[in-house]
Amino acid sequence: MTNSDLLTYCMSKRGAEQSVHSDWKATQIKSNGVLFAMVHEVKGRPAVSLKSTPALAELLREEHNDIFPSQHLNKSHWSTLYLDGSLKDSQIYYLVDASFDQIATVK
C-alpha cells in the first residue's frame, strides 16, 4: 500500500480533514477535530499511526512485527504500522476503519 492510497481511503471518511504536523513530518487525518490517522515515515519506510483499544493494540503488536507503539502518541492506544510490510491492504483498511470508529463515538 502507498501513502497516497491510504490518504485517499482516510479522506473518504465522514468529516475527514488533513493537516501537516511539521515537527513530526506527518500528515494528520482528523474528523470533527479528532485525530484518527497519522501518515508519516519511520526509518525511511511509509507508515501510519492508528488508534485502537489497548487490548487490540497489545494483540496486534504480539502478532505482527510490523506493528509497534507509536512514538509521539499515547502508546497504550496508538500503534504504528508499516505500509510496505507484511500486513495485507485489507488488514490496514480494517484498522483504519477501527480507528475511525473509535473517534466517531467521542462527543
Side-chain angles (χ1 to χ4, degrees):
M1 175 176 296
T2 66
N3 285 0
S4 179
D5 293 337
L6 182 66
L7 285 170
T8 298
Y9 187 73
C10 289
M11 292 305 295
S12 73
K13 298 294 182 190
R14 178 178 24 88
E17 298 175 346
Q18 72 180 41
S19 62
V20 175
H21 193 297
S22 58
D23 291 345
W24 298 343
K25 297 179 183 157
T27 300
Q28 295 180 319
I29 313 298
K30 298 177 181 181
S31 178
N32 297 318
V34 181
L35 182 69
F36 72 91
M38 188 168 70
V39 181
H40 52 109
E41 285 191 0
V42 176
K43 299 181 182 177
R45 295 176 66 185
V48 62
S49 296
L50 299 168
K51 188 172 186 178
S52 70
T53 65
L56 179 58
E58 187 176 322
L59 179 66
L60 291 168
R61 294 171 194 166
E62 288 175 3
E63 292 186 3
H64 300 281
N65 290 333
D66 288 332
I67 300 178
F68 47 93
S70 295
Q71 181 179 2
H72 299 292
L73 302 165
N74 181 317
K75 291 170 182 21
S76 64
H77 288 274
W78 287 87
S79 294
T80 298
L81 51 110
Y82 288 123
L83 299 179
D84 64 351
S86 61
L87 292 172
K88 297 176 184 174
D89 288 0
S90 60
Q91 292 172 304
I92 296 170
Y93 289 137
Y94 173 82
L95 294 172
V96 168
D97 291 345
S99 184
F100 180 79
D101 289 346
Q102 283 265 309
I103 65 100
T105 59
V106 175
K107 300 286 183 205

